[in-house]
Amino acid sequence: MQFLFAWRYFKAPKSTQAINWIARISVLGITVGTMALILVLSVFNGFEEMVKSLYSSFYPDWALAPKTGKVLTISAAQLEAIQKIPGVEAASVVMQEKALLQAGENQVMVNLKGVDPSYAQVSGVPSHLVSGNFETGTADFPLLVLGVGVESALNILADRNLSPLTIYLPKKTTSLQVDWTSAIQIEPAQTAASFLIQQDFDDQYAITSLAFMQKALQLQSSQATGVEIKVTPAANASAVRATLERIMGEKILVRNRFEQNETLYKVMRTEKWIVYGVLSLILVVAAFTMIGALTMLVLEKQKDIRVLHALGADQTLIRKIFINEGVLLAWIGGSVGMILAALLATLQLHYHLIPLEGGSFLIDYYPVQLKIEDFLLVGATVFFIAIIASWLPASRAAKAPIALRES
């Protein structure tokens, strides 16, 4: 019943046009605030998914690494047991070490990553090549797949370079002084291809043969710095983790994709919450306008309030009527804002209305992704602010003096 009263008060003509205009301005403020919140959150979703897809092209679903030191030992039986875990599609043994690449007078420090033949099934790097073919060579004839940033720093074309690069790798040593003749392994290698994923990888990584890395670093065939694992989307994460820990033992660190990039994901989430908090201030400003509109409406309906009291309405009912009036204003503004936001986001997704300036991005427009969670969050925020903003005018209306005759 209180909502029916609120609806009639909303539609009924007012004695002063200012009340109608203030109410419209409050609805407009809520509409703009709701639309801005959803659009900005959708853009954050778009960038977040884009970054995740780029990182997922390089980082595996699961990674094994030693808890202490740089090298782990994995037997053929352990690798076979990992590949038989339900949900596991492929497992690749990798060996990573800092190295210096030299092409003529050009030099660059890289993370040189040796991979086995299963790496193409685990990683998305082969699908992000911009030149050449994904080939890593053998222990005696290594081939390099370079990030485009490394390729540019060496001033070469990876798929057309005729002169071999020189690789400088550190050997195991207990001496505090580096002797280039005994502590540095120098090897030649040809280039095969280049990849483009994301600047963090493109500028720092070169990929080659696992057998070559083990030979150059004087390691056994069972030694590596990690194991990368790809699982199906339906794989049970907790079961996979438990089985990996049982197979590899306590000395091995098992990490999923989130744990491999925990800082990145936390920063993205924090940024999204900060923007949500800042843009919610638009709704708070609109709430002040709503307080003014409801306060003037309470003054307008003093006689109606007295009649309701005389008919038996208590303070709770009066309070609910004006709280519902505020919720109604917020619902109209919030609904229109959500519809406009969904429409604009859809247009941006299909027609790329707002471009990204600079020309150095993988895409040339702002990415957007609508999520139902954002609509629920913004809807709950609008409802909460409407309740808070309506409470003071509604309480004043409930405490209005009960008198049918004015002196």
Side-chain angles (χ1 to χ4, degrees), residues 51 54-55 58-59 96 98 109-111 147-150 195-206 261 264:
V51 170
L54 293 175
Y55 273 72
F58 194 86
Y59 288 104
Q96 185 170 305
K98 285 286 187 181
M109 289 293 300
V110 299
N111 291 313
V148 293
V150 176
F195 63 85
L196 173 66
I197 299 178
Q198 203 267 350
Q199 189 173 5
D200 290 344
F201 312 128
D202 302 339
D203 293 350
Q204 298 181 28
Y205 279 88
N261 302 280
L264 172 69

mmCIF file of all heavy atoms in Angstrom, residues 51 54-55 58-59 96 98 109-111 147-150 195-206 261 264:
data_model
loop_
_atom_site.group_PDB
_atom_site.id
_atom_site.type_symbol
_atom_site.label_atom_id
_atom_site.label_comp_id
_atom_site.label_asym_id
_atom_site.label_seq_id
_atom_site.Cartn_x
_atom_site.Cartn_y
_atom_site.Cartn_z
ATOM 1 N N VAL A 51 44.042 -8.480 -20.834
ATOM 2 C CA VAL A 51 45.328 -8.753 -20.180
ATOM 3 C C VAL A 51 45.420 -10.218 -19.767
ATOM 4 O O VAL A 51 46.455 -10.869 -19.942
ATOM 5 C CB VAL A 51 45.507 -7.827 -18.956
ATOM 6 C CG1 VAL A 51 46.714 -8.260 -18.133
ATOM 7 C CG2 VAL A 51 45.667 -6.384 -19.402
ATOM 8 N N LEU A 54 46.173 -12.339 -22.737
ATOM 9 C CA LEU A 54 47.563 -12.210 -23.155
ATOM 10 C C LEU A 54 48.494 -12.988 -22.223
ATOM 11 O O LEU A 54 49.399 -13.691 -22.674
ATOM 12 C CB LEU A 54 47.967 -10.734 -23.198
ATOM 13 C CG LEU A 54 47.282 -9.868 -24.262
ATOM 14 C CD1 LEU A 54 47.696 -8.421 -24.105
ATOM 15 C CD2 LEU A 54 47.607 -10.373 -25.655
ATOM 16 N N TYR A 55 48.262 -12.865 -20.918
ATOM 17 C CA TYR A 55 49.112 -13.575 -19.963
ATOM 18 C C TYR A 55 48.874 -15.080 -20.028
ATOM 19 O O TYR A 55 49.791 -15.869 -19.811
ATOM 20 C CB TYR A 55 48.880 -13.045 -18.545
ATOM 21 C CG TYR A 55 49.735 -11.851 -18.211
ATOM 22 C CD1 TYR A 55 49.490 -10.604 -18.776
ATOM 23 C CD2 TYR A 55 50.818 -11.963 -17.350
ATOM 24 C CE1 TYR A 55 50.280 -9.511 -18.492
ATOM 25 C CE2 TYR A 55 51.625 -10.882 -17.045
ATOM 26 C CZ TYR A 55 51.348 -9.644 -17.625
ATOM 27 O OH TYR A 55 52.146 -8.553 -17.343
ATOM 28 N N PHE A 58 51.010 -17.014 -22.359
ATOM 29 C CA PHE A 58 52.404 -17.301 -22.001
ATOM 30 C C PHE A 58 52.499 -18.156 -20.741
ATOM 31 O O PHE A 58 53.292 -19.092 -20.670
ATOM 32 C CB PHE A 58 53.168 -15.989 -21.805
ATOM 33 C CG PHE A 58 54.661 -16.172 -21.777
ATOM 34 C CD1 PHE A 58 55.390 -16.185 -22.958
ATOM 35 C CD2 PHE A 58 55.337 -16.342 -20.582
ATOM 36 C CE1 PHE A 58 56.771 -16.363 -22.943
ATOM 37 C CE2 PHE A 58 56.716 -16.518 -20.554
ATOM 38 C CZ PHE A 58 57.433 -16.524 -21.734
ATOM 39 N N TYR A 59 51.708 -17.799 -19.731
ATOM 40 C CA TYR A 59 51.738 -18.565 -18.490
ATOM 41 C C TYR A 59 50.805 -19.767 -18.580
ATOM 42 O O TYR A 59 49.708 -19.667 -19.119
ATOM 43 C CB TYR A 59 51.329 -17.692 -17.301
ATOM 44 C CG TYR A 59 52.373 -16.676 -16.916
ATOM 45 C CD1 TYR A 59 52.223 -15.329 -17.238
ATOM 46 C CD2 TYR A 59 53.521 -17.055 -16.230
ATOM 47 C CE1 TYR A 59 53.176 -14.393 -16.893
ATOM 48 C CE2 TYR A 59 54.489 -16.117 -15.870
ATOM 49 C CZ TYR A 59 54.301 -14.790 -16.207
ATOM 50 O OH TYR A 59 55.258 -13.872 -15.862
ATOM 51 N N GLN A 96 64.819 -22.410 -17.570
ATOM 52 C CA GLN A 96 64.948 -20.975 -17.821
ATOM 53 C C GLN A 96 66.167 -20.417 -17.101
ATOM 54 O O GLN A 96 66.427 -20.754 -15.957
ATOM 55 C CB GLN A 96 63.678 -20.254 -17.354
ATOM 56 C CG GLN A 96 63.653 -18.768 -17.667
ATOM 57 C CD GLN A 96 62.284 -18.159 -17.414
ATOM 58 O OE1 GLN A 96 61.278 -18.612 -17.942
ATOM 59 N NE2 GLN A 96 62.250 -17.123 -16.595
ATOM 60 N N LYS A 98 68.936 -16.659 -17.183
ATOM 61 C CA LYS A 98 69.340 -15.386 -17.768
ATOM 62 C C LYS A 98 70.485 -15.625 -18.748
ATOM 63 O O LYS A 98 71.386 -16.432 -18.489
ATOM 64 C CB LYS A 98 69.795 -14.422 -16.673
ATOM 65 C CG LYS A 98 68.683 -13.826 -15.844
ATOM 66 C CD LYS A 98 67.924 -12.761 -16.615
ATOM 67 C CE LYS A 98 66.920 -12.052 -15.740
ATOM 68 N NZ LYS A 98 66.160 -11.026 -16.505
ATOM 69 N N MET A 109 70.021 -8.543 -22.812
ATOM 70 C CA MET A 109 69.817 -9.561 -21.783
ATOM 71 C C MET A 109 68.411 -10.130 -21.919
ATOM 72 O O MET A 109 67.436 -9.378 -22.080
ATOM 73 C CB MET A 109 70.004 -8.970 -20.393
ATOM 74 C CG MET A 109 71.435 -8.633 -20.037
ATOM 75 S SD MET A 109 72.500 -10.101 -19.891
ATOM 76 C CE MET A 109 71.694 -11.010 -18.572
ATOM 77 N N VAL A 110 68.293 -11.447 -21.837
ATOM 78 C CA VAL A 110 66.989 -12.093 -21.997
ATOM 79 C C VAL A 110 66.825 -13.196 -20.956
ATOM 80 O O VAL A 110 67.784 -13.638 -20.312
ATOM 81 C CB VAL A 110 66.837 -12.711 -23.409
ATOM 82 C CG1 VAL A 110 66.933 -11.653 -24.481
ATOM 83 C CG2 VAL A 110 67.855 -13.821 -23.627
ATOM 84 N N ASN A 111 65.580 -13.616 -20.806
ATOM 85 C CA ASN A 111 65.285 -14.868 -20.111
ATOM 86 C C ASN A 111 65.242 -15.947 -21.183
ATOM 87 O O ASN A 111 64.296 -16.005 -21.974
ATOM 88 C CB ASN A 111 63.940 -14.785 -19.395
ATOM 89 C CG ASN A 111 63.968 -13.838 -18.215
ATOM 90 O OD1 ASN A 111 64.883 -13.883 -17.394
ATOM 91 N ND2 ASN A 111 62.978 -12.970 -18.114
ATOM 92 N N GLY A 147 61.110 -12.819 -28.782
ATOM 93 C CA GLY A 147 60.094 -11.793 -28.667
ATOM 94 C C GLY A 147 60.436 -10.651 -29.596
ATOM 95 O O GLY A 147 61.618 -10.379 -29.868
ATOM 96 N N VAL A 148 59.417 -9.949 -30.096
ATOM 97 C CA VAL A 148 59.684 -8.890 -31.073
ATOM 98 C C VAL A 148 60.525 -7.766 -30.476
ATOM 99 O O VAL A 148 61.280 -7.096 -31.204
ATOM 100 C CB VAL A 148 58.366 -8.325 -31.642
ATOM 101 C CG1 VAL A 148 57.639 -9.362 -32.475
ATOM 102 C CG2 VAL A 148 57.466 -7.796 -30.526
ATOM 103 N N GLY A 149 60.441 -7.552 -29.162
ATOM 104 C CA GLY A 149 61.284 -6.548 -28.519
ATOM 105 C C GLY A 149 62.743 -6.952 -28.528
ATOM 106 O O GLY A 149 63.635 -6.115 -28.752
ATOM 107 N N VAL A 150 63.011 -8.231 -28.298
ATOM 108 C CA VAL A 150 64.385 -8.751 -28.367
ATOM 109 C C VAL A 150 64.889 -8.677 -29.794
ATOM 110 O O VAL A 150 66.037 -8.278 -30.051
ATOM 111 C CB VAL A 150 64.426 -10.206 -27.850
ATOM 112 C CG1 VAL A 150 65.831 -10.787 -28.001
ATOM 113 C CG2 VAL A 150 63.964 -10.272 -26.401
ATOM 114 N N PHE A 195 57.746 -13.701 -31.879
ATOM 115 C CA PHE A 195 56.361 -13.703 -31.402
ATOM 116 C C PHE A 195 56.008 -12.342 -30.807
ATOM 117 O O PHE A 195 56.881 -11.588 -30.363
ATOM 118 C CB PHE A 195 56.135 -14.815 -30.367
ATOM 119 C CG PHE A 195 56.936 -14.675 -29.099
ATOM 120 C CD1 PHE A 195 56.494 -13.891 -28.039
ATOM 121 C CD2 PHE A 195 58.154 -15.338 -28.959
ATOM 122 C CE1 PHE A 195 57.229 -13.766 -26.871
ATOM 123 C CE2 PHE A 195 58.895 -15.218 -27.793
ATOM 124 C CZ PHE A 195 58.436 -14.425 -26.747
ATOM 125 N N LEU A 196 54.723 -12.051 -30.802
ATOM 126 C CA LEU A 196 54.191 -10.804 -30.258
ATOM 127 C C LEU A 196 53.011 -11.150 -29.356
ATOM 128 O O LEU A 196 51.977 -11.605 -29.826
ATOM 129 C CB LEU A 196 53.738 -9.866 -31.386
ATOM 130 C CG LEU A 196 52.999 -8.586 -30.959
ATOM 131 C CD1 LEU A 196 53.933 -7.668 -30.189
ATOM 132 C CD2 LEU A 196 52.429 -7.872 -32.188
ATOM 133 N N ILE A 197 53.192 -10.932 -28.049
ATOM 134 C CA ILE A 197 52.127 -11.214 -27.080
ATOM 135 C C ILE A 197 51.847 -9.984 -26.248
ATOM 136 O O ILE A 197 50.779 -9.391 -26.302
ATOM 137 C CB ILE A 197 52.498 -12.400 -26.165
ATOM 138 C CG1 ILE A 197 52.699 -13.679 -26.989
ATOM 139 C CG2 ILE A 197 51.407 -12.618 -25.119
ATOM 140 C CD1 ILE A 197 53.111 -14.878 -26.171
ATOM 141 N N GLN A 198 52.831 -9.609 -25.461
ATOM 142 C CA GLN A 198 52.709 -8.479 -24.541
ATOM 143 C C GLN A 198 54.112 -7.996 -24.231
ATOM 144 O O GLN A 198 55.056 -8.779 -24.225
ATOM 145 C CB GLN A 198 51.973 -8.937 -23.277
ATOM 146 C CG GLN A 198 51.295 -7.840 -22.488
ATOM 147 C CD GLN A 198 52.194 -7.283 -21.390
ATOM 148 O OE1 GLN A 198 53.242 -7.839 -21.103
ATOM 149 N NE2 GLN A 198 51.772 -6.197 -20.780
ATOM 150 N N GLN A 199 54.279 -6.719 -23.975
ATOM 151 C CA GLN A 199 55.613 -6.133 -23.878
ATOM 152 C C GLN A 199 56.477 -6.813 -22.821
ATOM 153 O O GLN A 199 57.685 -6.964 -23.009
ATOM 154 C CB GLN A 199 55.498 -4.636 -23.577
ATOM 155 C CG GLN A 199 56.825 -3.898 -23.669
ATOM 156 C CD GLN A 199 56.669 -2.395 -23.524
ATOM 157 O OE1 GLN A 199 55.568 -1.902 -23.256
ATOM 158 N NE2 GLN A 199 57.744 -1.674 -23.707
ATOM 159 N N ASP A 200 55.871 -7.229 -21.705
ATOM 160 C CA ASP A 200 56.641 -7.891 -20.657
ATOM 161 C C ASP A 200 57.332 -9.144 -21.171
ATOM 162 O O ASP A 200 58.418 -9.510 -20.711
ATOM 163 C CB ASP A 200 55.732 -8.265 -19.481
ATOM 164 C CG ASP A 200 55.267 -7.039 -18.715
ATOM 165 O OD1 ASP A 200 55.870 -5.967 -18.900
ATOM 166 O OD2 ASP A 200 54.299 -7.147 -17.941
ATOM 167 N N PHE A 201 56.707 -9.830 -22.121
ATOM 168 C CA PHE A 201 57.292 -11.044 -22.684
ATOM 169 C C PHE A 201 58.099 -10.745 -23.937
ATOM 170 O O PHE A 201 59.169 -11.318 -24.144
ATOM 171 C CB PHE A 201 56.190 -12.055 -23.015
ATOM 172 C CG PHE A 201 55.200 -12.264 -21.902
ATOM 173 C CD1 PHE A 201 53.845 -12.158 -22.130
ATOM 174 C CD2 PHE A 201 55.631 -12.547 -20.623
ATOM 175 C CE1 PHE A 201 52.932 -12.344 -21.117
ATOM 176 C CE2 PHE A 201 54.733 -12.734 -19.595
ATOM 177 C CZ PHE A 201 53.375 -12.629 -19.843
ATOM 178 N N ASP A 202 57.582 -9.849 -24.751
ATOM 179 C CA ASP A 202 58.236 -9.563 -26.033
ATOM 180 C C ASP A 202 59.640 -8.981 -25.854
ATOM 181 O O ASP A 202 60.516 -9.204 -26.688
ATOM 182 C CB ASP A 202 57.392 -8.575 -26.850
ATOM 183 C CG ASP A 202 55.983 -9.091 -27.106
ATOM 184 O OD1 ASP A 202 55.790 -10.310 -27.026
ATOM 185 O OD2 ASP A 202 55.093 -8.269 -27.372
ATOM 186 N N ASP A 203 59.849 -8.229 -24.772
ATOM 187 C CA ASP A 203 61.136 -7.563 -24.558
ATOM 188 C C ASP A 203 62.115 -8.405 -23.741
ATOM 189 O O ASP A 203 63.274 -8.010 -23.603
ATOM 190 C CB ASP A 203 60.936 -6.223 -23.842
ATOM 191 C CG ASP A 203 60.208 -5.211 -24.702
ATOM 192 O OD1 ASP A 203 60.031 -5.475 -25.907
ATOM 193 O OD2 ASP A 203 59.815 -4.156 -24.178
ATOM 194 N N GLN A 204 61.656 -9.527 -23.191
ATOM 195 C CA GLN A 204 62.505 -10.225 -22.237
ATOM 196 C C GLN A 204 62.770 -11.695 -22.556
ATOM 197 O O GLN A 204 63.687 -12.278 -21.982
ATOM 198 C CB GLN A 204 61.865 -10.160 -20.836
ATOM 199 C CG GLN A 204 61.705 -8.762 -20.283
ATOM 200 C CD GLN A 204 61.102 -8.773 -18.895
ATOM 201 O OE1 GLN A 204 61.255 -9.739 -18.140
ATOM 202 N NE2 GLN A 204 60.405 -7.711 -18.539
ATOM 203 N N TYR A 205 62.010 -12.298 -23.458
ATOM 204 C CA TYR A 205 62.100 -13.750 -23.610
ATOM 205 C C TYR A 205 62.606 -14.180 -24.973
ATOM 206 O O TYR A 205 62.313 -13.564 -26.003
ATOM 207 C CB TYR A 205 60.729 -14.387 -23.368
ATOM 208 C CG TYR A 205 60.417 -14.559 -21.890
ATOM 209 C CD1 TYR A 205 59.805 -13.533 -21.183
ATOM 210 C CD2 TYR A 205 60.762 -15.721 -21.216
ATOM 211 C CE1 TYR A 205 59.527 -13.672 -19.827
ATOM 212 C CE2 TYR A 205 60.478 -15.875 -19.870
ATOM 213 C CZ TYR A 205 59.867 -14.846 -19.181
ATOM 214 O OH TYR A 205 59.609 -14.982 -17.834
ATOM 215 N N ALA A 206 63.362 -15.272 -24.930
ATOM 216 C CA ALA A 206 63.759 -16.023 -26.117
ATOM 217 C C ALA A 206 63.584 -17.495 -25.779
ATOM 218 O O ALA A 206 63.909 -17.931 -24.669
ATOM 219 C CB ALA A 206 65.202 -15.719 -26.503
ATOM 220 N N ASN A 261 50.625 -14.976 -11.163
ATOM 221 C CA ASN A 261 50.549 -13.534 -11.428
ATOM 222 C C ASN A 261 49.687 -12.853 -10.375
ATOM 223 O O ASN A 261 48.855 -12.002 -10.684
ATOM 224 C CB ASN A 261 49.952 -13.285 -12.821
ATOM 225 C CG ASN A 261 50.747 -13.938 -13.919
ATOM 226 O OD1 ASN A 261 51.769 -13.413 -14.345
ATOM 227 N ND2 ASN A 261 50.291 -15.079 -14.392
ATOM 228 N N LEU A 264 49.650 -8.946 -10.227
ATOM 229 C CA LEU A 264 48.944 -8.333 -11.352
ATOM 230 C C LEU A 264 47.438 -8.354 -11.130
ATOM 231 O O LEU A 264 46.753 -7.333 -11.284
ATOM 232 C CB LEU A 264 49.291 -9.074 -12.649
ATOM 233 C CG LEU A 264 48.476 -8.676 -13.880
ATOM 234 C CD1 LEU A 264 48.812 -7.267 -14.326
ATOM 235 C CD2 LEU A 264 48.705 -9.672 -15.018
#
